[in-house]
Amino acid sequence: MAKGKLIVLEGIDGSGKSAQYRRLCARLEKDQIAYTHIVFPRYDRESSALIRMYLGGQFGTHPDDVNAYTASTFFSVDRFASYQTEWKQIYEAGGLILSDRYTTSNAVHQGSKLSDEELPEYFSWLSDLEYRKMGLPEPDLVIYLDVDIETSLARMRRRQQKYGTSADIHEKDVNYLERCLHTADRACEYYGWTRIPFLRDGKERELDEKNNEIYELILRTIEK
Ligand code: TMP
Ligand code: MG
């Protein structure tokens, strides 16, 4: 069976993921490279019901109130529904899929509920669940956008003020977000994700400079 390419952009809240994503889409369009854009979670779909209950605090107001394995399944089933109904055919016909978050977000945000010793078993369970049992495609490239905690929090607060949105249980918990950053380091090593460093020579890098780096990686992956 023909197989497409799946490229994933990953990063915690306030990592600049959405800004990078928008620029990448615009560049692909300008270069006339056909792609399909997917985003997780899909808040407006029935398959995200448990995600909305969880992030809205109906199972407890702290992320740790629902353990890593249980919460992961909420997000995994939404991905399964999306694959089956929206992009399986395109992918199997050889299409390019660009995803804003994926299984990788479970690794970072649910893995952070476990100790370093427990992580390898969880990472392997997660891959088995989504990529083998559920049959979702494995990414050809995962781009992880590094950020520091202060920048992440500042950007998140600015966005919440601008759009008047309220924080979900993950966003409200600074200690949890710090653990996510730590877990992302472990996940990058374990899965071999490509890291886009936040700093260069101790200074925050420009959005466009990082975008050029990411776009090069994407072009190389498409050509493979
Ligand atoms: P959002 O910030 O992109 O709206 O995503 C909501 C939160 O859910 C965010 O903290 C990341 C987390 N998450 C998971 O834990 N697992 C997943 O598979 C996805 C897609 C998101
Ligand atoms: Mg968020």
Side-chain angles (χ1 to χ4, degrees):
M1 201 187 299
K3 177 173 150 313
K5 292 274 185 210
L6 171 62
I7 297 176
V8 173
L9 214 58
E10 186 54 57
I12 68 162
D13 289 291
S15 59
K17 187 164 53 62
S18 303
Q20 292 292 351
Y21 199 85
R22 274 194 301 274
R23 275 182 168 67
L24 293 173
C25 292
R27 285 176 87 155
L28 288 168
E29 273 150 39
K30 186 164 156 281
D31 290 347
Q32 297 185 316
I33 300 171
Y35 73 99
T36 298
H37 156 161
I38 55 177
V39 184
F40 299 101
R42 306 178 313 150
Y43 292 108
D44 57 346
R45 302 302 157 88
E46 284 177 281
S47 58
S48 69
L50 276 288
I51 299 174
R52 283 178 270 123
M53 292 176 78
Y54 162 70
L55 289 175
Q58 290 191 50
F59 304 137
T61 51
H62 296 288
D64 292 291
D65 289 340
V66 181
N67 72 50
Y69 289 86
T70 308
S72 294
T73 64
F74 305 160
F75 294 92
S76 305
V77 294
D78 179 43
R79 259 184 296 281
F80 175 80
S82 134
Y83 182 56
Q84 292 297 325
T85 61
E86 288 179 352
W87 53 282
K88 185 176 184 202
Q89 280 179 358
I90 302 167
Y91 178 78
E92 287 184 345
L96 168 65
I97 314 286
L98 193 59
S99 187
D100 182 344
R101 297 199 184 282
Y102 198 59
T103 312
T104 51
S105 282
N106 265 342
V108 172
H109 296 85
Q110 302 308 325
S112 66
K113 298 174 180 178
L114 301 166
S115 70
D116 280 4
E117 292 68 42
E118 293 168 321
L119 275 179
E121 189 186 342
Y122 168 74
F123 287 157
S124 135
W125 172 85
L126 179 64
S127 296
D128 185 60
L129 174 70
E130 296 205 19
Y131 304 143
R132 285 177 273 287
K133 304 287 195 300
M134 290 187 167
L136 296 169
E138 269 190 72
D140 295 282
L141 172 69
V142 175
I143 296 157
Y144 173 70
L145 282 171
D146 200 8
V147 70
D148 69 8
I149 190 71
E150 289 77 24
T151 307
S152 152
L153 293 174
R155 283 190 186 145
M156 215 164 54
R157 295 202 177 112
R158 220 179 304 141
R159 190 159 53 221
Q160 281 156 6
Q161 271 174 357
K162 186 169 165 194
Y163 299 108
T165 49
S166 57
D168 63 40
I169 61 164
H170 287 180
E171 293 164 346
K172 276 183 190 144
D173 194 328
V174 176
N175 179 267
Y176 167 79
L177 292 171
E178 277 182 317
R179 272 158 44 208
C180 288
L181 284 180
H182 170 81
T183 309
D185 291 342
R186 303 281 86 78
C188 281
E189 284 164 23
Y190 183 92
Y191 294 111
W193 298 345
T194 303
R195 246 187 129 84
I196 307 297
F198 177 63
L199 300 175
R200 173 160 290 159
D201 303 325
K203 282 214 307 248
E204 186 179 336
R205 295 172 70 194
E206 293 292 330
L207 206 160
D208 284 331
E209 189 210 323
K210 289 193 281 187
N211 197 261
N212 290 340
E213 185 181 338
I214 297 169
Y215 198 60
E216 278 305 311
L217 286 165
I218 291 179
L219 292 182
R220 255 188 278 148
T221 303
I222 297 171
E223 282 157 12
K224 258 191 227 157

